[in-house]
């Protein structure tokens, strides 16, 4: 796949959309715990995806289920780690660590999709990762590997965000395969519904259904999050369809970190 103006525009738009979504999710952590928040964030955009999928003509091949279920399962773990990180650390220090995702995603894409970046493209990916580390590095700690590691893990949420980065690097190749076997809207609906139901089951097993109660202020934020989440995932899946996954993740995380 060649890098076109359309692919760059879609990747940048995905980065901006997810940056806005991060801010909305951060505000929602004030009144909701990680599990309850994940249930609502995943469930809220489902009606939008459902309407779009059925209006466009429902399409789902049998080959969807393997990559689709992998994406759902890993997304549950990654999203829980992400929301917990938002509760425990500053957004500006932890979210840049998601810039590690392009490296992991590019490696996964080689294995799952056969998408091999060029040397120049690896340099670009590496530059984004170095920038992520630089944002967390304190020169006062020294220039050794141990000092870099200490600065990276100083915030409680940093390690959780690295777990998130690893999880969200596993899902893009499988999201691409799932969307190819269904459609953007179909996969978006099933992905969000699957994450919501899986997390809801955990909440029910723990006897914490009361934690799902929403405040009136949460409803406004959740509505906004639903719209932004819908747009962000649609743009992201469309970007995957026109260019290699590693490029999309690199641009998206660079934009996300900058904002």
């Amino acid at each position: 796949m060649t890098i076109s103006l359309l692919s760059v525009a879609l990747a940048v738009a995905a980065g901006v959309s997810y940056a806005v979504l991060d801010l909305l999710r951060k505000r929602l952590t004030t009144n909701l715990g990680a599990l309850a928040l994940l249930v609502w964030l995943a469930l809220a955009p489902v009606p939008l995806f459902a309407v779009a999928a059925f209006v466009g003509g429902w399409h789902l091949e049998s080959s969807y289920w393997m990559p689709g279920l992998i994406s759902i399962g890993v997304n549950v773990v990654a999203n829980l780690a992400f929301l917990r990180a938002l509760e425990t650390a500053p957004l500006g220090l932890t979210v840049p660590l998601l810039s590690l995702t392009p490296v992991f995603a590019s490696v996964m894409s080689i294995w799952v999709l056969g998408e091999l970046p060029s040397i120049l493209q690896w340099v670009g990916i590496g530059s984004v990762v170095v920038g992520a580390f630089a944002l967390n590095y304190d020169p006062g700690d020294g220039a050794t590997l141990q000092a870099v590691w200490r600065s990276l893990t100083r915030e409680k949420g940093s390690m959780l965000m690295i777990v998130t980065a690893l999880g969200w690097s596993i899902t893009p190749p499988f999201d691409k395969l799932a969307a190819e076997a269904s459609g953007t809207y179909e996969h978006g609906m099933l992905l969000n519904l699957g994450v919501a139901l899986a997390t809801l089951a955990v909440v029910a097993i723990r006897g914490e259904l009361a934690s799902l109660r929403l405040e009136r202020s949460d409803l406004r934020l959740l509505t906004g999050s639903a719209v932004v989440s819908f747009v962000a995932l649609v743009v992201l899946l469309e970007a995957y369809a026109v260019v290699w996954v590693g490029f999309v993740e690199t641009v998206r995380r660079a934009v996300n970190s900058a904002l």
Side-chain angles (χ1 to χ4, degrees):
M1 292 183 177
T2 58
I3 298 175
S4 63
L5 181 60
L6 174 62
S7 63
V8 173
L10 287 171
V12 170
V16 173
S17 298
Y18 276 101
V20 174
L21 185 59
D22 288 343
L23 292 173
L24 291 172
R25 290 188 287 203
K26 176 67 173 178
R27 292 186 64 185
L28 280 164
T29 59
T30 302
N31 297 325
L32 292 169
L35 283 171
L37 182 53
L38 181 52
V39 171
W40 285 118
L41 285 174
L43 195 59
V46 168
L48 296 176
F49 281 108
V51 170
F54 284 102
V55 168
W58 181 264
H59 169 69
L60 191 70
E61 299 176 4
S62 59
S63 57
Y64 169 84
W65 294 109
M66 188 277 288
L69 290 175
I70 290 175
S71 178
I72 290 170
V74 175
N75 261 299
V76 170
V77 176
N79 276 284
L80 285 175
F82 176 75
L83 294 173
R84 181 58 181 160
L86 290 185
E87 290 179 337
T88 57
L91 192 66
L93 289 179
T94 53
V95 168
L97 291 174
L98 292 178
S99 296
L100 295 169
T101 302
V103 175
F104 302 143
S106 296
V107 172
M108 284 295 299
S109 296
I110 295 172
W111 174 51
V112 177
L113 303 172
E115 296 179 349
L116 181 63
S118 66
I119 297 298
L120 183 59
Q121 289 162 347
W122 276 118
V123 171
I125 292 170
S127 299
V128 172
V129 173
V130 169
F133 274 78
L135 286 170
N136 286 268
Y137 175 61
D138 183 354
D141 290 335
T144 64
L145 290 177
Q146 292 87 344
V148 172
W149 179 253
R150 283 196 303 273
S151 66
L152 182 65
T153 58
R154 180 178 293 110
E155 294 293 341
K156 290 182 179 179
S158 295
M159 291 307 298
L160 286 170
M161 203 60 86
I162 291 175
V163 171
T164 302
L166 180 59
W168 282 349
S169 67
I170 293 172
T171 57
F174 293 105
D175 283 329
K176 182 170 184 173
L177 290 175
E180 288 174 350
S182 57
T184 296
Y185 303 124
E186 289 86 345
H187 178 52
M189 188 195 83
L190 292 172
L191 173 60
N192 279 280
L193 185 59
V195 170
L197 292 177
T199 311
L200 181 59
V202 174
V203 173
I205 291 171
R206 295 178 60 171
E208 298 176 353
L209 290 175
S211 67
L212 296 173
R213 183 177 177 275
L214 293 171
E215 301 292 337
R216 182 170 298 180
S217 59
D218 293 331
L219 288 174
R220 292 192 294 270
L221 288 172
L222 191 61
T223 300
S225 297
V227 175
V228 175
S229 178
F230 172 78
V231 172
L233 185 54
V234 168
V235 172
L236 183 64
L237 292 177
E238 291 297 324
Y240 288 160
V242 298
V243 72
W244 54 285
V245 166
F247 172 79
V248 177
E249 289 302 308
T250 301
V251 175
R252 168 162 92 105
R253 294 306 175 189
V255 171
N256 193 281
S257 295
L259 296 177

